[in-house]
Amino acid sequence: MIGAALVAKAAGAGARVIAGAIGRPVETVRGWLRRFGLRAEEIRVRFTVLLVDTGLDPVPPAETASLFADAVAAVFGARSAVASRWPGLGEVSPWRLACAVTGGSLLTPPRP
């Protein structure tokens, strides 16, 4: 659910529309989007580094109009890089990878 909300926001949808589409309270969705947005630059950098370090022929995602979308694209790019490096792992979603890489702290508030 959270991953779908982040992808929808990166595509330009608002919290109300996203909440309606995934059947979650708008306050919950806003919280997810806000926390991800606060850490977007950190997430973008971390997952771009993972992509470049693990990809067989890495191509970092092109910059978009928003840092939020850039961070989501970096997560998906890192997932593709990991899948190309270790195809035997099977199909791992970008959000399971994000959870593993961040130790489950993808949506925690940024550290001072």
Side-chain angles (χ1 to χ4, degrees), residues 42-55 58 60 74 78 81:
E42 174 190 346
I43 293 165
R44 184 194 65 78
V45 168
R46 187 170 190 179
F47 283 88
T48 299
V49 168
L50 177 62
L51 180 160
V52 170
D53 285 352
T54 61

Side-chain angles (χ1 to χ4, degrees), residues 9-89:
K9 172 67 175 173
R16 287 188 191 281
V17 171
I18 296 168
I22 64 173
R24 294 291 183 257
V26 72
E27 297 82 17
T28 300
V29 172
R30 274 195 189 115
W32 295 340
L33 302 179
R34 187 177 307 116
R35 286 189 303 274
F36 187 87
L38 289 171
R39 295 189 61 201
E41 176 62 12
E42 174 190 346
I43 293 165
R44 184 194 65 78
V45 168
R46 187 170 190 179
F47 283 88
T48 299
V49 168
L50 177 62
L51 180 160
V52 170
D53 285 352
T54 61
L56 297 174
D57 191 12
V59 177
E63 198 172 302
T64 68
S66 79
L67 182 56
F68 194 103
D70 289 347
V72 170
V75 171
F76 275 79
R79 186 255 170 238
S80 293
V82 167
S84 71
R85 172 68 67 177
W86 297 288
L89 288 178

